[in-house]
Amino acid sequence: GAGVSQSPRYKVAKRGQDVALRCDPISGHVSLFWYQQALGQGPEFLTYFQNEAQLDKSGLPSDRFFAERPEGSVSTLKIQRTQQEDSAVYLCASSPGPISGNTIYFGEGSWLTVV
Amino acid sequence: KNQVEQSPQSLIILEGKNCTLQCNYTVSPFSNLRWYKQDTGRGPVSLTIMTFSENTKSNGRYTATLDADTKQSSLHITASQLSDSASYICVVSVADSNYQLIWGAGTKLIIKP
């Protein structure tokens, strides 16, 4: 596709429910990021993939959060046993290679509301 | 500690006026500085990327400046339009990392007719 695609665009989950958020990066992009953005705040880093390798997951808030990119393209962010504090926009971004000098392209985000 | 601070936190101006947003950073080692525009409910969109050797870069009505000595950057918007209403976020890359970005909290800009 022409840009980074995320789905679902909006998700309402009941507390305790598991959710899966999908990211289709721009074809051929090596780097993939997940960010969490609370209302009125800047994005907070969650995790980084270089191809299929998850090089940094230090930003994942708890062990309820899990991300994968098994074939080095599509990525899924899974949140188990959702809680109200998980309500946020989850942004996926991709870049052709290391970010130095490269533009990072963002998707429109997946808006998660936990009720 | 690596930090990026932006000011003002919010700004309201009349359509057609110019404005300047500020970004101060304490990031080391520095790689490059980016400005993003984020419309409400949308993902951030890149406006400019500057390395330490670049003093200014333009993208249409947006002009970014960088002073690597004082570790300051500004984003100047000329002849503002209603569509410029958005959050503008300053982001600095760390040189010894392939992926680490330090994000500012953003300036929320509102253009009034």
Side-chain angles (χ1 to χ4, degrees):
Chain A
V4 178
S5 178
Q6 292 189 244
S7 61
R9 189 84 168 85
Y10 303 96
K11 175 70 178 179
V12 178
K14 292 185 177 179
R15 189 167 45 186
Q17 186 179 355
D18 297 348
V19 299
L21 309 177
R22 176 188 170 103
C23 174
D24 278 275
I26 295 172
S27 179
H29 277 197
V30 168
S31 296
L32 185 144
F33 306 79
W34 282 100
Y35 287 89
Q36 181 188 60
Q37 187 173 26
L39 195 64
Q41 303 293 319
E44 295 280 346
F45 172 80
L46 292 178
T47 187
Y48 168 71
F49 289 87
Q50 184 174 304
N51 295 306
E52 69 279 2
Q54 189 175 23
L55 298 188
D56 190 336
K57 56 181 181 179
S58 62
L60 297 176
S62 74
D63 58 7
R64 297 185 295 104
F65 286 72
F66 173 76
E68 61 182 2
R69 193 187 185 196
E71 297 178 358
S73 55
V74 171
S75 177
T76 304
L77 176 67
K78 298 178 180 178
I79 308 172
Q80 297 177 322
R81 304 181 304 281
T82 52
Q83 300 177 5
Q84 283 191 315
E85 60 261 31
D86 300 334
S87 296
V89 179
Y90 291 86
L91 294 168
C92 177
S94 72
S95 179
I99 60 174
S100 178
N102 280 311
T103 297
I104 303 169
Y105 300 87
F106 283 81
E108 299 288 38
S110 289
W111 291 61
L112 173 65
T113 302
V114 181
V115 297
Chain B
K1 180 182 176 185
N2 288 330
Q3 276 188 311
V4 174
E5 295 184 349
Q6 293 187 243
S7 62
Q9 190 171 24
S10 62
L11 182 62
I12 301 173
I13 64 171
L14 292 175
E15 184 180 12
K17 298 296 185 182
N18 303 334
C19 67
T20 300
L21 314 180
Q22 300 292 340
C23 173
N24 295 340
Y25 61 92
T26 54
V27 176
S28 181
F30 173 87
S31 176
N32 56 62
L33 185 145
R34 307 159 190 259
W35 282 94
Y36 279 91
K37 177 187 179 188
Q38 186 173 24
D39 293 313
T40 301
R42 311 293 295 272
V45 174
S46 179
L47 295 176
T48 62
I49 303 175
M50 290 184 291
T51 63
F52 73 93
S53 62
E54 297 175 291
N55 299 117
T56 185
K57 184 165 280 190
S58 292
N59 179 355
R61 294 179 296 101
Y62 300 102
T63 299
T65 64
L66 175 64
D67 185 332
D69 292 331
T70 61
K71 299 187 176 182
Q72 295 180 326
S73 176
S74 65
L75 181 69
H76 186 75
I77 304 174
T78 303
S80 61
Q81 300 176 0
L82 296 178
S83 60
D84 293 331
S85 294
S87 288
Y88 292 84
I89 309 176
C90 176
V91 188
V92 178
S93 302
V94 181
D96 57 3
S97 168
N98 284 335
Y99 62 91
Q100 189 177 6
L101 296 169
I102 311 300
W103 291 77
T107 292
K108 186 170 179 62
L109 177 63
I110 297 172
I111 311 297
K112 291 205 165 184

